[in-house]
Each structure stands twice: as C-alpha cells, then as structure tokens.
Amino acid sequence: MTTDDETRTTPEVEVVAAEATPEVVEEIKSARDANWAKLTGALTVGEVPPEARNINVTGRRQTSPMQGFGKMWQKTYRVSLGTEVTPQEVISEWKAKFPTFWPEGNRFYGPLTGIAPGDVALLNLTMPGRLKLSTGVLVLYADEESFTFMTPEGHMFAAFITFSAYEDKNGGTSAQAQVLLRANDPLFEIGLAVGGHRKEDKFWVHTLAALAANFGVTTEVETQVVCVDKKRQWRNARNLRYNSAIRSGIYMMTTPYRAMKRSGR
Amino acid sequence: MDANALVASVRHSGEVAIVDLAGQLDGSAERTLNAAWEAAGDAPIVALNFTKATYINSTGIALIVGLLGKARVENKKVRAFGLMDHYKEIFSITRLSDFIEVHGDEAGAIGGLAANA
C-alpha cells in the first residue's frame, strides 16, 4: 500500500465510524449493559449439587463495602503470566476453572454454565475449629477481561472482589484479584485482627499461584494492602444477626437432631 | 493515550465541588479520579457529573466506593448527577445509592434537592 492509499482510506474509516446508526450504537450499548447483573430483590440460588449447603444466601441482600462494619481495606494480589497468553484467554480460563484454583477444603458451587452476570454461587469454606462455613457470592459483573463478585449479608466480608487480566508495563499479561472489603460485623472484625487477614492473603496468593501454574508459570504473587478507611461503622454492628459462621455452627450442631427427625417420619 | 480514557475536571459552586467526568470509568481511571478528588480540596460536598461518562465497569464502581471511603474519613458528602437510567440501576444493585445522593441534574446536586431522582 502506498502513502497515497493510506491518506485516501483513513478519512473513509472515519466517515464509517461517524455514520454509525443509532441502532448500531444501541446494539453496542446493550451488549455492554449485559455485562451487569440484573436484580429485582433478594438473592436466589439456582440448581446446586446436594452436598452444597444453602443456609445463608437465599433471601439475603447483596452488600457493598459501605454496608459493612469494620475498617475498609483494599487488597490487591497480582501475578505476571508472561507474553504467551492474552488477558482474554486468562479470564476465559479463570471463569471456566474458577473452583479448581482455590485452596483445598474450600468449595465453590456455581452454575455448570460458568460465571455469568446475575449468577449466585454457594461457598462452603473451611474455618478454624472444623467449622464448615456456608455462604455465597453474586456475580455482579463479567466481561472478557474481568469479573466481579459481591457478597451477601452474613458473609465474612461486605465486599467487591474483582478478578481481571490486563497487558502490563512489560508487554506481558498480568492477572489480578482485588478485594475491597469491610468485615461484615464485629465478630468477623475480631476474626480479621487475630489471623483472618493472614488467612485471607494466603487464600488469594494460593489462588493466583494456581492460576499461574495453569499457564505453566511459576512466580511470586505480589500483594498490596491499603487501609482506605480506619473508622468502623458502628451503626452496622447489628449485621451480626446474619453472621454466617454462627448460623453455620448452629446448623452443624443441630444436624443429628434433623437426621433423627427425618428418620422418625 | 486511549481515546476513551477518563478525563476529569473540577469546578466549584459555593460549597460544592463539581467533578465533570468524561470517558470510561474503569480500572485505568484510578489516577484521574484520585487527582480530581484532591483538586476538589476542602469542599464539604463533592458532586460527580456523569453526563459525559460513556461507560462504567465494576472496577469503576469499586473506585467510587473507594472515594466514599475517603469522603467518610474527610467528613464529606458525595452526590451524583447525569447518570443514565442503566447506571442508576447499577448504583441501586451495588447499593451505592444508599450512600450517594443521586440527582437528575446539576441544579439538584448543588441544591441537594430531589435526591435519588
């Protein structure tokens, strides 16, 4: 192609862009809008395996960090995946294999169709004292380069958790998990202070290392922690009534009673 | 620079600092948004003008939550106006509207009238 050809074609491209019909603009807009969850009320859970416990999700509302109790933290976990993979490939793989990257003993029960906006997944997490904590997440947003979870009332955190991949400054691809959180109630705030932060950091470092290993990369996971707001929101202390650890504990303790009741029918 | 990158400018009307946002509010907007917050100075009310914001993704929403955290520390109020209906709905789903007064236009945001229109 000659220079003259280039000068002739460039304005034509501009004209095409400028003449995009309202229909085309609307189509692009609605495709982007489809990246967001549509919610009308409380959370509902679709079909899940029988072993997944749903005792703290159905009927709860989603929470942002502004509805939480404790200090607000922004935690960023980042890993470099090199130049062999694109951000879109990373997110596609992350969505498809999401539960497999988690540390052992923690289960994520999402829809078999993958991670899509509006989906609600159940989480069964291993906690100290052999407690199996049952909670969940809402898929708030998903596109080709990122997806975001929002937590329900009673979850350990009132949080946005965003997973993304992007071209880094070295021209390679980096993957990132960023958690913006407050502990949901005073008990979880104490839990964070006495080892919860360390456990949370280990969880996501493990997840990102497993994601990197999936792409044949062994490297260190970078962690950055910022306290955005040191003040606690005491007006939200009553979030304790939904505390998923307390409710999961009661559920575990009353399991024999429920079994007896069932066998007596 | 990306043609869709967020551009922010700050102007003042009485005790309200108005932050005019143009472009996409996504992960790349963090520095711009933080700089605009600094430029708002000591104004007790910050009104975010979304009239020319073309797209907001979930990272953009998280950035706004970060601003709300700062506002709490600095005892400031945050208002918003010029949001498209779709993003008003997103503010409701993400429960940001519990903490940000959403107004239909600039006059409302400055006067603090007709909140969450």
Side-chain angles (χ1 to χ4, degrees), chain A residues 21-196:
Chain A
T21 62
E23 289 78 16
V24 171
V25 172
E26 195 51 44
E27 203 176 305
I28 294 167
K29 218 173 116 254
S30 55
R32 289 177 143 195
D33 292 354
N35 295 333
W36 287 95
K38 288 173 178 54
L39 278 187
T40 49
L43 300 178
T44 55
V45 180
E47 203 174 323
V48 288
E51 71 270 21
R53 278 188 208 147
N54 175 15
I55 52 175
N56 290 308
V57 179
T58 298
R60 297 280 187 270
R61 293 184 71 193
Q62 67 278 17
T63 59
S64 84
M66 297 310 291
Q67 276 81 31
F69 166 79
K71 297 177 181 178
M72 193 196 286
W73 299 89
Q74 185 188 61
K75 297 183 163 207
T76 309
Y77 311 91
R78 199 175 293 130
V79 68
S80 176
L81 302 175
T83 54
E84 299 293 310
V85 64
T86 65
Q88 291 81 4
E89 286 165 348
V90 172
I91 291 302
S92 171
E93 191 85 344
W94 207 346
K95 283 178 185 169
K97 297 183 179 172
F98 189 82
T100 66
F101 301 134
W102 276 20
E104 208 176 318
N106 300 287
R107 302 295 304 270
F108 177 96
Y109 299 101
L112 292 173
T113 46
I115 289 170
D119 286 346
V120 176
L122 295 180
L123 315 180
N124 289 177
L125 307 172
T126 303
M127 304 301 276
R130 297 171 68 186
L131 172 69
K132 274 281 173 200
L133 188 146
S134 170
T135 182
V137 287
L138 162 74
V139 182
L140 171 69
Y141 178 93
D143 66 19
E144 289 178 345
E145 295 183 0
S146 69
F147 55 104
T148 297
F149 294 162
M150 219 175 148
T151 53
E153 291 165 324
H155 190 284
M156 299 85 75
F157 310 129
F160 287 137
I161 310 168
T162 297
F163 307 90
S164 59
Y166 58 93
E167 193 181 321
D168 58 35
K169 58 182 180 226
N170 303 318
T173 294
S174 284
Q176 176 178 291
Q178 187 169 66
V179 190
L180 189 62
L181 69 94
R182 285 184 196 273
N184 235 326
D185 63 44
L187 267 189
F188 283 135
E189 178 73 347
I190 293 169
L192 269 182
V194 295

Side-chain angles (χ1 to χ4, degrees), chain A residues 29 32-33 35-39 61-67 72 74 140-141 143 146 148 150 153 160 162 180 182 228-229 231-233 235, chain B residues 4 24 30 54-59 61-63 65-70 72-75 84 86-87 89-90 92-96 98-99:
Chain A
K29 218 173 116 254
R32 289 177 143 195
D33 292 354
N35 295 333
W36 287 95
K38 288 173 178 54
L39 278 187
R61 293 184 71 193
Q62 67 278 17
T63 59
S64 84
M66 297 310 291
Q67 276 81 31
M72 193 196 286
Q74 185 188 61
L140 171 69
Y141 178 93
D143 66 19
S146 69
T148 297
M150 219 175 148
E153 291 165 324
F160 287 137
T162 297
L180 189 62
R182 285 184 196 273
V228 180
D229 180 7
K231 291 184 193 169
R232 296 188 175 92
Q233 305 197 121
R235 68 175 181 279
Chain B
N4 294 317
Q24 291 194 173
E30 186 169 9
T54 53
Y55 185 62
I56 308 174
N57 73 6
S58 59
T59 314
I61 292 288
L63 291 177
V65 173
L67 289 190
L68 288 175
K70 287 183 184 181
R72 217 177 96 80
V73 172
E74 298 168 21
N75 289 318
M84 285 186 277
H86 173 65
Y87 291 114
E89 198 185 318
I90 299 304
S92 169
I93 291 173
T94 54
R95 301 185 66 184
L96 284 190
D98 294 2
F99 293 89

